[in-house]
Amino acid sequence: MLMIYTNPAAQEAIAGGVDEVMAEVDALMKELRESGELAGGMALDGPAAARTVKVRDGAPVITDGPFLEAKEHLAGYLVVDCAGVERATEIAARWPDARLCAMEVWPVIDDMA
């Protein structure tokens, strides 16, 4: 799984060249679809729309926002079915957010579906 992170500075940088960034994303997504490596993914809404749910003493405690206060937040994810973590890392390095903020590569150990 490739986790896409962003922050206000990265979003500001994209705002000036959103067409170029999206063209880069579209080309990489097309390549991954054609190679059969794209298994799924979604863009996520911003931190203001998130909720954190914890159960304490048997009762749910719900707070607005993400679990941790951070400058960066999870903006989306891709699931790739590729040869290994090295290939996933290559794909992540080509994603525009890797230059602007960060990408994380997490091996999936179990398909819960």
Side-chain angles (χ1 to χ4, degrees):
M1 175 179 278
L2 309 181
M3 298 169 57
I4 305 163
Y5 284 88
T6 192
N7 60 38
Q11 290 176 327
E12 194 173 300
I14 287 174
V18 86
D19 291 338
E20 294 84 8
V21 170
M22 291 312 298
E24 193 174 346
V25 168
D26 289 344
L28 184 51
M29 293 289 284
K30 181 177 188 265
E31 177 185 321
L32 295 173
R33 275 190 209 92
E34 289 175 353
S35 70
E37 293 175 301
L38 182 64
M42 299 290 267
L44 301 176
D45 203 343
R51 287 183 159 191
T52 297
V53 180
K54 302 175 187 176
V55 176
R56 300 295 183 263
D57 298 320
V61 177
I62 302 166
T63 56
D64 291 338
F67 178 66
L68 297 173
E69 292 287 329
K71 292 181 183 177
E72 292 82 23
H73 67 270
L74 185 62
Y77 67 93
L78 292 173
V79 178
V80 293
D81 184 4
C82 57
V85 71
E86 292 80 13
R87 173 63 179 144
T89 302
E90 289 173 12
I91 295 167
R94 293 176 56 202
W95 201 263
D97 295 272
R99 291 189 311 273
L100 300 168
C101 190
M103 296 283 290
E104 288 184 358
V105 177
W106 288 63
V108 175
I109 59 171
D110 190 16
D111 182 0
M112 308 233 354

